[in-house]
Amino acid sequence: MTASLPSCPKCSSEYTYEMNALMVCPECAHEWVPAAAGADDASASGERVIKDAVGNVLNDGDTVTVVKALKVKGSPSGIKAGTKVRNIRLVDGVDGHDIDCKIDGFGAMQLKSSVVKKA
């Protein structure tokens, strides 16, 4: 059974197991998506892979949900957690901001992929 499962990419343990869509290492508690190994090969070949807060690969045109409240400069209220953002565009932004989008009530802005979850 363990011969078909990949070893842990973090500690090289051979005692990994599947839990829903994730692979889990019981020795170092590292969790990863098995399809992400193929995505890492794509990033090595020059393609840019952007993942959300939980590890899902993002693409242009996806709909995402903000997972934590964000402060916005010049606005009395920020963006609340749970706000849906439609039709995102992936860009090479400044300071880790790699999502370009329009948010209702705020307008055009850039977000970090670490604060969104694919909807």
Side-chain angles (χ1 to χ4, degrees):
M1 182 171 106
T2 58
S4 64
L5 296 177
S7 60
C8 177
K10 192 171 185 182
C11 71
S12 301
S13 170
E14 60 185 29
Y15 301 110
T16 59
Y17 61 92
E18 290 182 70
M19 183 170 59
N20 297 332
L22 294 175
M23 296 296 298
V24 180
C25 176
E27 292 183 2
C28 68
H30 180 65
E31 297 178 347
W32 72 98
V33 178
D40 291 341
D41 294 339
S43 67
S45 67
E47 290 184 33
R48 184 176 50 127
V49 177
I50 297 177
K51 297 181 181 180
D52 66 0
V54 293
N56 297 321
V57 177
L58 297 173
N59 297 310
D60 285 342
D62 282 346
T63 298
V64 295
T65 305
V66 177
V67 294
K68 69 178 207 176
L70 303 173
K71 295 180 182 176
V72 179
K73 271 189 182 176
S75 174
S77 64
I79 299 171
K80 295 181 181 178
T83 302
K84 284 203 175 202
V85 181
R86 291 177 179 81
N87 199 16
I88 64 169
R89 197 173 78 227
L90 303 177
V91 295
D92 288 326
V94 179
D95 197 29
H97 294 81
D98 45 14
I99 297 174
D100 196 18
C101 61
K102 288 183 184 177
I103 299 178
D104 293 337
F106 290 96
M109 64 176 36
Q110 289 188 342
L111 298 173
K112 292 183 179 183
S113 59
S114 61
V115 298
V116 298
K117 179 176 74 169
K118 194 171 187 176

